[in-house]
Amino acid sequence: MVSRRVFLKNGAFAFVSLGFAPSFLARTAFAAGASGRPKQLIAIFQRGAVDGLSVVVPFGETDYYRARPSIAIGRPGAAENSAIDLDGFFGLHPRLLPLKPLWDARQLAIVHACGSPDSTRSHFDAQDYMESATPGVKSTSDGWLNRYLQARRAPAGDPATPFRAVALTTQLPRMLQGTAPALAMSQVERFGIRGGQASAAAGESFEAAYAAAADQVLHGTGRDAFSAIRMLKTADPSKYQPANGADYPRSPFGQALRQIAQLTKANVGLEVAFADVGGWDTHANQGAGQGQLATHLDDFARSIAALVADLGDRMEDTVVLTMSEFGRAVNQNGSGGTDHGHGNAMMVIGGGVRGGQVSGKWPGLATDRRYDGRDLAVTTDFRDVLGELVKSHLGQQVNQVFPGHTFGTPLGLLNGT
């Protein structure tokens, strides 16, 4: 019996789920907006628990400076490397300057004091809960993005493109695991069977053998994995040139976003994309406007700014969402860093975003206002953010995607909501 999944673990091509037909290129308007392009969500996971209080700085909060005598980000204008004022109370870390034009253009919204209702301080558990969107439940078999893909099926007889959901990672992230087809690849140009004439011959032989079996079991749909490989080879992604002066960092994260832009502009029907970036677990020597955290934020901001510039008017149909498993403690520790915390900040970026606002109820940083007396309290469940994007941007009802969750008052993150 031939499985409906083919695992071709040869470097970059980690996972292919079959179940699509040659007509996939003709149906990229599925879930399309007024532009005729498909709506797209790009999810970015900051693994390691980024310090949201240094990313989106509550400089109007006196207790912030009391708690962090050496790592607090200075008030706007106070000195070099001080916070970038957003609204008179919140500011961006100075290394996030490339994102300020998006705020000014009202294409960047922030949800602060956001996170999970679960109390865990374990990276592994918190990441699992955020990617499954079932806090406190370890038995969930699939990720919330995969449940979205399951819920929003293509019209009958018109199956989805194989590139509908892609992670620019070596392994499929928990968020995309499930029964719906998804891909994980670390390098677009190395997608498929590779390695010179011998590998080419092997690929052709494997294709012929698999296609023959697929004709009997899958009625010919097995060939489409190889059609996808050939399609990307024809596009020659190694010669891709970013548009609009976009300058991606050479970092793994920067190059992952560059490749998401490649796939988007190749019109292969990319609907959901995923990338992650680590290095945020700053227990020691975190730094303030300069230092360890600042270096990571510089790469983070320049990469996202390049993606937005490169996509150009496609950002009207795209939302970029950033998330991290939990935040950091309010007080700095004895090593000049911050320990595992609770509440954090999420960013939502796009042409259809109702930007220029920090959403969510701010709980304050006074000791009696903190979670467990030490952390930024969570006042917005992260599922409320995800659900609003699934419903208002991607156009899918949320009950199947976030089972058992009761949604609060909409945050109004998108225009028209």
Side-chain angles (χ1 to χ4, degrees):
M1 179 177 179
V2 178
S3 170
R4 287 182 64 86
R5 280 192 176 79
V6 177
F7 292 86
L8 297 178
K9 292 188 177 179
N10 188 356
F13 188 11
F15 178 95
V16 164
S17 297
L18 299 180
F20 45 85
S23 63
F24 66 76
L25 289 180
R27 59 158 304 279
T28 57
F30 180 62
S35 68
R37 298 189 184 114
K39 293 292 186 179
Q40 183 182 65
L41 177 65
I42 301 172
I44 295 172
F45 207 114
Q46 295 171 274
R47 299 198 185 277
V50 67
D51 180 20
L53 293 174
S54 284
V55 173
V56 182
V57 184
F59 66 81
E61 180 89 43
T62 302
D63 286 295
Y64 171 73
Y65 292 98
R66 292 195 184 110
R68 299 182 167 203
S70 67
I71 66 168
I73 309 301
R75 293 183 175 87
E80 188 178 3
N81 293 313
S82 58
I84 302 164
D85 187 17
L86 295 179
D87 61 4
F89 185 88
F90 291 107
L92 291 177
H93 188 284
R95 293 297 184 94
L96 295 181
L97 182 61
L99 302 183
K100 181 57 161 53
L102 300 176
W103 174 272
D104 294 339
R106 298 189 179 279
Q107 295 179 353
L108 164 63
I110 295 164
V111 185
H112 220 320
C114 184
S116 173
D118 190 84
S119 62
T120 184
R121 302 186 194 279
S122 160
H123 291 298
F124 179 83
D125 288 346
Q127 288 179 26
D128 183 81
Y129 295 155
M130 185 162 276
E131 294 196 67
S132 68
T134 55
V137 180
K138 294 186 177 182
S139 60
T140 306
S141 61
D142 46 17
W144 69 270
L145 270 180
N146 197 280
R147 290 198 298 275
Y148 159 73
L149 296 169
Q150 295 170 45
R152 190 177 180 87
R153 299 184 183 276
D158 191 11
T161 161
F163 295 101
R164 184 183 178 201
V166 176
L168 268 297
T169 52
T170 56
Q171 296 182 335
L172 200 68
R174 177 80 168 87
M175 198 178 295
L176 278 170
Q177 291 176 12
T179 60
L183 294 171
M185 63 179 95
S186 59
Q187 295 184 47
V188 171
E189 62 266 26
R190 296 166 67 188
F191 178 86
I193 298 174
R194 55 185 174 78
Q197 294 182 349
S199 290
E204 291 172 3
S205 175
F206 181 79
E207 176 178 354
Y210 184 86
D215 274 336
Q216 300 176 28
V217 181
L218 301 179
H219 308 291
T221 61
R223 289 194 183 96
D224 289 326
F226 301 96
S227 297
I229 294 170
R230 287 194 296 267
M231 180 176 64
L232 284 186
K233 286 181 177 178
T234 300
D236 195 1
S238 65
K239 295 183 179 179
Y240 175 75
Q241 293 296 320
N244 305 313
D247 184 14
Y248 292 93
R250 298 298 300 170
S251 65
F253 179 60
Q255 293 306 295
L257 297 194
R258 181 181 186 274
Q259 291 176 93
I260 288 174
Q262 285 181 260
L263 288 171
T264 299
K265 293 196 285 186
N267 295 319
V268 295
L270 182 64
E271 187 175 342
V272 170
F274 176 92
D276 59 13
V277 56
W280 307 104
D281 197 18
T282 50
H283 283 282
N285 303 314
Q286 177 171 308
Q290 293 181 314
Q292 178 187 177
L293 178 63
T295 298
H296 288 298
L297 288 176
D298 179 71
D299 175 56
F300 178 76
R302 291 192 296 116
S303 297
I304 292 177
L307 172 70
V308 172
D310 195 4
L311 291 181
D313 63 3
R314 291 175 184 266
M315 284 301 299
E316 294 300 319
D317 304 298
T318 300
V319 165
V320 178
L321 170 69
T322 73
M323 66 193 78
S324 194
E325 64 264 34
F326 45 68
R328 317 295 298 185
V330 175
N331 288 353
Q332 70 178 69
N333 60 30
S335 299
T338 48
D339 298 322
H340 296 176
H342 196 50
N344 211 334
M346 300 177 78
M347 294 185 182
V348 182
I349 300 168
V353 170
R354 184 182 289 168
Q357 61 175 333
V358 178
S359 298
K361 180 182 178 182
W362 180 248
L365 297 181
T367 303
D368 62 350
R369 304 291 296 173
R370 299 178 193 175
Y371 178 79
D372 279 351
R374 50 167 280 171
D375 302 330
L376 175 66
V378 169
T379 59
T380 299
D381 191 305
F382 74 93
R383 290 170 293 181
D384 289 347
V385 179
L386 306 185
E388 192 161 322
L389 299 184
V390 166
K391 182 177 181 180
S392 299
H393 177 63
L394 295 176
Q396 178 61 43
Q397 293 301 313
V398 297
N399 57 319
Q400 290 178 271
V401 184
F402 306 99
H405 179 58
T406 301
F407 286 86
T409 303
L411 296 163
L413 297 172
L414 301 175
N415 293 323
T417 61

